[in-house]
Each structure stands twice: as structure tokens, then as C-alpha cells.
Amino acid sequence: MWIKIDVIDLEANIIYLPTTIAKTITEVAFVCFGKKKVLTQVQVMEDAAVTDVHSFNNPMTIKISKELANELLIVESLIYQLVADKGNIVIGPVIALLLGNRSHLYNPYYMKKYSDRLGVYSKFGGLIYGFSCKGVDWDNNVVYGLYYDNEKSQWRYGKFPFPSVIYRRNFHVSERLIKKLIDVTDGRLFNSTRFTKYELYKFVEKNKFLSNYLIPTELSVNESVIKNFLKEYKKVILKPIDLSRGRGICVIEEKQKGYKVLDYRNTEYLEKYLDDDDALEIFLKPNRSFFEKYLVQKHLELAMIDGSCFDVRVVMQKDSNKVWICTGIECRVAKKDSLITNISRGGYALPLSVALTKAFPDESNQKLLMQQLDNLCKKFCNHMDQMGEHFAEFGLDVAVDINKNLWLIEANVLPSFKGFKGMDYNNYLNIRYTPLIYAVSLTEFYESVSLESDKEE
């Protein structure tokens, strides 16, 4: 049931419920709000109108004592849901966004970047807040952060209980603290870890089906590894194992005489020619970073759009039924004379159908390629669920070569959606909403989002 809370000035732990609810509850019950749980007297609201008609816009008012509100850390002004069963009364949902460690930056203005995610707030209501681990008082089980005030469309400072579910939005947090938060939420912290490109490669390699979509890759531990790859594949790409958005990339191609190098490690890429093997060695030796946290990979001959390479970004998310679905596909086309497709590096986005038509103008049937892409992405996500972590969102980067073969480039746990925002704003919003809907599905209030999902289908 949808409720609004009226806090009354009483010094005992008491909750007043309408007769229709109170008669199903024991006289003393636990009231739960997030991970707070308080033993409370249950009494009947004699003046309450007996009605089963209630909604987000027309909630039923219940009363709780000031002492109970303080113990639970209730934010009085919000619209909640209430689920009751014998000795337990749950008010919520209580969901948190885990931010990074720069708590001095997290203010109402900063949090506006998350406001568009709350466009579906009326589906579930409750307390949605953002916090940093620096704002956690572990001794008193209290979290300081900013909550979303739906009525004012503003973020406000507050003090809260530990949430029922955490949507991890930053990876600059120690694994020790993440483990504590996973324990506190009984495993309901999602996007629980991220991985390097090579860790992903080695895990996916274990799957017979998925291994067919992997680009030959090895850790770049010394010059010999790079030279051997050049000897076998003629053109290789060097990538940092733990960076994204095309940062740190270098391409080396064996020519009839010497080598051609395209260096994207700085803002402006450098193109240089090396006369022979000695010149290659001279280029590699001072660049020690190539042998520390880099991998070397066969360079693919990608399909082109108007002379520019492109790749496909597929957004996979878990829905209210906890099932992996594709919520968005865009093709990212590199700017002229660049191999970097990222929007932040000058690329632009196209719908998949438009991109495939431009890349393969003589081919009319795109359906098979799209089916292969969908199958690949779903099998990837189901395989990742076997890692023992809690994932609910991936941005998969898939390459299409000149022969229309698909190749899995990488997977981002916290993908960006810049291309979608400009290409299809409604789809962009749907992508932004889905993780919170999934978060609610992990709580006692799952029906409020699952029923809506069934209605849409």
C-alpha cells in the first residue's frame, strides 16, 4: 500500500495503522526501514478512513511516534510503500547510489546529474539517496548523504539507515569497504566489481561459444611479445588493461619496409615511420609503460562508414524480472582519420540499421547480423553471472569487420550513454531508469515495478 507518514510527538515506539492492516499484524511487530529494524507497538488508527483505494498520488496516511521515526531515521516528507506480514512491517523502498571518495564535491548541484534517473520515481517512491563511504558512521549504522525530494525535484542533505539495495556508481572505493557493504545489504550491492581488459579476456575465454568472438590477445610483458604478434598479424594494437574511452592506445603496422606507428596516447595522435627492426626497438625501449599494464591485440580490418571505422555499443541491463535485456544499441563512428570511436574523442552515433546500411550498401538483409549480436550479448551476460559477482549493467563494445564477423572488444560495468542522449532521448531515459527499477525488484516492493513491466509488455 502507498503511504504518507505523519510523525506525532510520543516518546514510545508506536505505529498507528488502519484497521484493515492492523488486524493482520501482531500487537508487537518489527518495523523495518532500510536495514533498520525496531520492535514496535502496533495500534489501530480509529479515525482512519477504511479504504483499499490508494496510489502514489493518493497515499493513505499512517502515524508513527517521534521516537520510532528517530530510531528508523525516517524522512517524513516522502511517499512510501508499506508491506505487512504478521510480525513484520516494511516501509520503503530504501535504495542508495554509492558515489566515490570525493565527499566534499557531493552537494545538491552535483547530484542533479542523477535527477533524470528519478523520472520513474512515482512507480516505486521511497527513499533514494547518494552517499560516499566517507559519510558512513559504521559504529552507529548511520549514513550521511543526499536524498531526492521528489516534490521539490531537489537533492537534500540528510542522515539515513543503511539501504536495502546499493547501486554502485564509482570504483574508487576500497574492496574492504565494498565487502562490508555487500554484507550489510545481504549481497544486494550491484556492479560489485570491475575488471581489466585482460581479466575479462581470460574469463570469457573459458566459454567455448564466446571464445569464438575474442580477438587474439596477450599481455604485453616485453618487446618479444609485440614482435611475435607483428610477425603473425602484421598490424597490432596496444591497449592499457585498465583504461577506457580509447585512452592510451597505440597501433603498430608492419610495412614493406619498416613500421608505421599511430600513437593515440596524447590528445593529438602522432603518426611516425620506423625504418627497420632496430628503429622499432629504439621506439619501444623508452616506452616502459607498454610492458607494465598493457595488452597487445591483433588489429581488425573493420567495416567502414564514409571512410571511418565504427563499432557497436550494446547496453545490457537486468530488468524488473532480473533478466538480462538489451535496452539500447548505438553505432559509434570515429571522426575522420581516427581509430577511436568514442563520442568523447570526436566520434558520433548512428542507429544500428543506418550504420549497417551505410557500411554494407549492397546487403539488404540485416536481420541475421542483428540476431547474432543479440545472442552474443545475452550469452556474454549470462556467462558473467557465473563470475560470483553481482552485475546488472554492461556496455558491450562489439566490432564488425569487413566480412561482417562480430568481435567482442570490451565490456564496461559503468557505461556512458552520450550517444543515446543525442540520438534518441526517450531511449536514453529508459536506460537511465532501468537500474533503479532493477534495484526495487530486489526489495519487498518488487510488485510495484514488475506489475508495471507486465503492463508495458
Side-chain angles (χ1 to χ4, degrees):
M1 63 181 289
W2 291 94
I3 63 166
K4 195 166 179 61
I5 294 173
D6 181 16
V7 176
I8 57 177
D9 194 10
L10 285 175
E11 297 304 316
N13 287 331
I14 302 175
I15 185 169
Y16 294 87
L17 298 174
T19 305
T20 51
I21 301 297
K23 69 182 182 182
T24 66
I25 308 297
T26 54
E27 291 184 2
V28 177
F30 285 104
V31 178
C32 306
F33 183 61
K35 303 308 289 187
K36 287 282 187 182
K37 190 173 185 178
V38 179
L39 196 61
T40 305
Q41 296 178 47
V42 180
Q43 297 194 14
V44 175
M45 289 174 57
E46 299 294 347
D47 59 339
V50 179
T51 177
D52 291 326
V53 180
H54 50 86
S55 64
F56 177 83
N57 293 314
N58 183 34
M60 187 178 293
T61 298
I62 69 164
K63 295 180 180 181
I64 67 173
S65 64
K66 184 177 179 180
E67 184 168 317
L68 179 58
N70 289 339
E71 280 201 50
L72 291 174
L73 302 176
I74 285 277
V75 179
E76 185 179 354
S77 60
L78 301 177
I79 304 297
Y80 296 101
Q81 295 184 69
L82 182 147
V83 174
D85 179 28
K86 295 183 180 177
N88 288 289
I89 301 164
V90 185
I91 298 170
V94 180
I95 295 165
L97 308 172
L98 175 59
L99 311 176
N101 289 323
R102 299 184 297 172
S103 52
H104 60 287
L105 296 181
Y106 305 139
N107 54 45
Y109 179 79
Y110 175 91
M111 293 300 294
K112 282 183 179 179
K113 66 190 282 186
Y114 294 104
S115 293
D116 62 4
R117 291 183 178 273
L118 277 299
V120 286
Y121 179 80
S122 61
K123 286 187 177 182
F124 44 80
L127 173 63
I128 313 294
Y129 70 85
F131 77 104
S132 163
C133 278
K134 289 186 175 180
V136 178
D137 180 346
W138 294 98
D139 294 330
N140 295 300
N141 295 327
V142 169
V143 182
Y144 294 88
L146 294 104
Y147 74 95
Y148 185 70
D149 181 342
N150 181 67
E151 189 175 339
K152 303 288 186 182
S153 298
Q154 293 176 351
W155 293 86
R156 301 183 182 278
Y157 293 102
K159 181 171 73 169
F160 318 111
F162 279 114
S164 301
V165 182
I166 296 176
Y167 176 20
R168 187 177 184 178
R169 293 298 311 157
N170 193 288
F171 285 102
H172 300 291
V173 180
S174 76
E175 288 307 305
R176 179 184 64 83
L177 292 178
I178 292 299
K179 177 67 169 62
K180 288 182 75 171
L181 291 172
I182 290 171
D183 290 343
V184 164
T185 57
D186 303 313
R188 294 186 180 93
L189 180 153
F190 62 93
N191 294 352
S192 57
T193 191
R194 68 174 172 180
F195 33 76
T196 68
K197 292 179 176 68
Y198 195 65
E199 288 169 340
L200 177 69
Y201 181 88
K202 296 307 288 184
F203 186 73
V204 173
E205 191 180 39
K206 298 174 184 177
N207 184 288
K208 188 175 180 181
F209 173 84
L210 294 173
S211 64
N212 294 315
Y213 295 89
L214 291 176
I215 307 166
T217 299
E218 191 51 80
L219 280 177
S220 176
V221 293
N222 54 45
E223 292 96 329
S224 296
V225 175
I226 296 174
K227 288 176 180 178
N228 289 338
F229 258 65
L230 276 167
K231 185 176 180 180
E232 185 169 358
Y233 301 114
K234 307 305 179 188
K235 190 174 183 179
V236 302
I237 184 167
L238 295 162
K239 295 179 179 179
I241 62 174
D242 53 3
L243 291 181
S244 59
R245 300 194 297 276
R247 293 173 293 173
I249 282 175
C250 188
V251 178
I252 305 175
E253 181 180 5
E254 185 181 289
K255 308 299 282 186
Q256 266 192 330
K257 183 183 178 183
Y259 301 89
K260 178 182 176 182
V261 177
L262 298 177
D263 194 341
Y264 291 88
R265 288 175 293 169
N266 299 307
T267 306
E268 295 295 326
Y269 88 94
L270 298 175
E271 183 175 321
K272 61 180 71 177
Y273 290 85
L274 308 174
D275 292 335
D276 50 30
D277 288 352
D278 290 339
L280 175 63
E281 195 157 329
I282 290 169
F283 169 73
L284 291 174
K285 272 196 171 173
N287 289 291
R288 301 310 304 171
S289 62
F290 284 151
F291 313 120
E292 293 168 359
K293 290 188 175 181
Y294 262 73
L295 52 80
V296 60
Q297 198 172 69
K298 175 187 176 182
H299 187 277
L300 300 173
E301 291 301 319
L302 298 175
M304 308 287 274
I305 293 175
D306 299 328
S308 295
C309 61
F310 73 96
D311 63 16
V312 184
R313 163 59 64 90
V314 182
V315 180
M316 300 294 294
Q317 296 173 311
K318 283 183 178 174
D319 66 3
S320 61
N321 297 313
K322 306 176 188 67
V323 173
W324 285 106
I325 60 169
C326 172
T327 52
I329 301 178
E330 66 175 357
C331 288
R332 302 176 304 175
V333 186
K335 68 179 181 180
K336 207 71 175 173
D337 301 321
S338 176
L339 297 175
I340 310 299
T341 61
N342 299 77
I343 307 298
S344 60
R345 297 290 291 272
Y348 64 93
L350 286 175
L352 179 61
S353 58
V354 174
L356 292 180
T357 299
K358 284 178 172 286
F360 306 105
D362 298 330
E363 297 288 339
S364 57
N365 187 6
Q366 302 171 359
K367 191 173 180 181
L368 179 60
L369 192 62
M370 291 182 177
Q371 286 175 343
Q372 289 175 340
L373 181 64
D374 182 68
N375 191 39
L376 165 61
C377 294
K378 285 179 178 174
K379 284 185 180 295
F380 170 86
C381 292
N382 290 327
H383 179 64
M384 293 304 292
D385 279 342
Q386 299 174 32
M387 188 181 271
E389 298 288 343
H390 189 163
F391 298 116
E393 183 174 49
F394 286 118
L396 302 185
D397 293 341
V398 179
V400 185
D401 69 20
I402 56 176
N403 298 313
K404 292 190 291 184
N405 296 312
L406 300 179
W407 301 93
L408 180 62
I409 303 173
E410 64 178 293
N412 298 288
V413 180
L414 295 180
S416 63
F417 312 122
K418 287 184 180 178
F420 292 98
K421 191 172 186 178
M423 191 174 66
D424 184 340
Y425 191 68
N426 287 333
N427 188 35
Y428 164 79
L429 288 177
N430 181 57
I431 293 169
R432 300 277 283 175
Y433 299 155
T434 300
L436 282 181
I437 290 173
Y438 171 70
V440 177
S441 78
L442 299 176
T443 72
E444 292 85 351
F445 310 99
Y446 62 91
E447 284 191 358
S448 62
V449 289
S450 62
L451 291 175
E452 190 68 29
S453 174
D454 294 340
K455 209 184 297 177
E456 288 169 2
E457 289 175 7

